[in-house]
Structures are given as structure tokens and as C-alpha cells.
Amino acid sequence: MSHRVHPKSYRIKELADWDSRWFDKKKTPQYLEEDFKIREFLKKKLGKLGVEKVEIERFPGKIIIIISSARPGLIIGRGGGGVEELKKELEKEVLKTKGNQELKIDIREIKDPWSSATLSAQWMAQQIEKRVPHRRVLKQALEKITAARGNKGARVELAGRLDGKEIARREWLKKGNLPRQTIRADIDYARDRAYCTYGVIGIKVWIYKGEHFD
């Protein structure tokens, strides 16, 4: 049996960084719980707006939330109204601050969604929920990912009661290089779920973007 490791945690501080960046000995449990609630709230609020990841940075008296999205205009809203509304809801429902902490929300644009494993997995989940045949979803996703500039290889995988069959199974497709055994390989990895009437379909995406020798 081989020992499987999450591709991102395997590369922390080499090619990747933590999504929560702060340090506090006394309030660590409180901050961890807050970070979890912030991400859950934003997932429900912005789930279909192409959000790749939510990064949280904490400083004395200040919280910065960085949202990376393929559709930033829908989040920002007209004249920045969407961000202000999101800020108020976060302060009221999640953070419950009383003026002692400044909250800042920064929206970053992802120019090519097919270079992101998270956004690719979200697209596959949406297609599966629309009852598109699973083999077509696998082929289309792999073609679009490998056609994107900078991607040198990819693997896409679906698992569960595919197309509503009684027996669950796993199917995957791979194209190009995908060296998962070395730290210098820049591999973007993501998991998602498609919720169908016949059960939950698990989705995994790996995207290889080349090697780094820094």
C-alpha cells in the first residue's frame, strides 16, 4: 500500500502557501472557527460565481479576506455595492465585530478558469447535476484543461453511481505528463461533489503546470 498525500500540503512553502495566514497563541481556536465559518458563508453566498479559493490574513485590529474568482464583476457589483453588502453580512452573521476590527475584502480575477483545478471541478459538478453523460463530461473537461496555455498534463476522475447505475464505480481520463512523486512539480489539485437525485458523485482534478527549480 502506498502512502497518499494531499498534493498541496505536500508542497506547502515550496510551491504553495497556507490559505489562512496569521499567528496567535491565545485565540487560535477562535480564529480557526471564524475562518471555517467565513468560508462556509462565502461558499453558500458565492457558490455559483466561480470562486476558486478564499484566503484570510489577520493583523492586529484588521482582517483581510482575498477572494479569487473567474467572475469578479458579479461579486463586486455596480459601484462596489456587492462588496459592501457582503462585508456587512459577514460582520453581522459571522464575525460579530463591534468596531474593534477592520474588515477588508479584496477581489482578484482569474483570467483562465481552465488553469484552475477548483474551477474545472466546479464545472464538471454542474454538468453532472444537469444529467450530462459522465463520459462526455470527462472528455470535454480534459480537452479544455489541456488546451489551456501553460497546462502540460491533467487527470480528471469521477466516482459514484455514474449515470444513476446501481453499482458505484470510478472512471478517469489522463492526458500529458503528471509527475506526482516530486515536490518541484507544480500540480494544482481539487475535489468537488455533484449532488444528484441518485446520490453524490465525487470529482477529482489534477493539473500539471511544469517544474520549478527555485
Side-chain angles (χ1 to χ4, degrees):
M1 295 292 290
S2 62
H3 181 64
R4 293 187 292 180
V5 182
H6 192 286
K8 182 173 180 180
S9 63
Y10 189 50
R11 292 166 173 82
I12 286 290
K13 293 302 177 185
E14 294 292 337
L15 299 174
D17 199 0
W18 301 101
D19 288 339
S20 292
R21 295 185 284 273
W22 48 265
F23 179 78
D24 193 300
K25 289 184 178 179
K26 295 181 180 179
K27 296 184 178 180
T28 295
Q30 177 189 337
Y31 286 170
L32 281 173
E33 185 180 1
E34 274 189 3
D35 287 2
F36 178 79
K37 288 181 178 179
I38 287 170
R39 290 193 172 93
E40 283 293 309
F41 174 81
L42 292 175
K43 186 178 180 180
K44 291 178 182 178
K45 191 78 176 176
L46 311 173
K48 296 183 180 180
L49 299 182
V51 175
E52 182 195 34
K53 61 181 177 179
V54 176
E55 298 171 272
I56 300 171
E57 295 180 348
R58 293 178 184 268
F59 302 95
K62 189 175 184 180
I63 303 174
I64 300 176
I65 299 174
I66 304 168
I67 302 173
S68 301
S69 173
R71 306 169 74 182
L74 295 177
I75 300 174
I76 296 169
R78 185 173 296 177
V83 173
E84 290 300 320
E85 183 181 348
L86 197 62
K87 193 175 177 182
K88 290 178 182 177
E89 290 183 10
L90 272 170
E91 289 176 343
K92 182 180 178 181
E93 299 183 20
V94 181
L95 299 175
K96 298 178 181 178
T97 56
K98 298 181 180 180
N100 56 345
Q101 282 186 320
E102 179 189 353
L103 176 62
K104 182 182 177 183
I105 299 177
D106 186 15
I107 311 296
R108 295 182 181 174
E109 181 182 4
I110 298 172
K111 295 182 179 179
D112 189 359
W114 295 108
S115 294
S116 167
T118 302
L119 297 179
S120 301
Q122 288 177 11
W123 179 86
M124 291 176 67
Q126 292 171 5
Q127 296 298 306
I128 292 295
E129 288 173 354
K130 292 177 183 177
R131 297 295 188 94
V132 178
H134 72 278
R135 287 192 178 91
R136 187 188 300 174
V137 173
L138 286 172
K139 289 179 181 178
Q140 288 181 352
L142 190 63
E143 287 174 4
K144 291 179 179 181
I145 291 169
T146 52
R149 186 177 179 182
N151 295 345
K152 297 186 176 182
R155 169 174 165 151
V156 290
E157 183 178 296
L158 295 173
R161 293 182 58 191
L162 303 177
D163 293 339
K165 303 294 183 182
E166 289 186 4
I167 299 176
R169 65 187 189 278
R170 183 186 307 270
E171 290 197 13
W172 57 272
L173 291 176
K174 178 183 173 183
K175 186 175 180 181
N177 298 326
L178 193 67
R180 288 178 286 177
Q181 71 278 6
T182 174
I183 296 178
R184 66 173 178 243
D186 185 5
I187 297 177
D188 190 11
Y189 170 76
R191 295 180 295 180
D192 207 336
R193 292 179 177 181
Y195 296 92
C196 307
T197 55
Y198 47 80
V200 179
I201 302 297
I203 300 164
K204 291 183 179 181
V205 178
W206 294 260
I207 300 177
Y208 173 54
K209 301 179 181 180
E211 292 186 348
H212 290 262
F213 297 94
D214 297 337

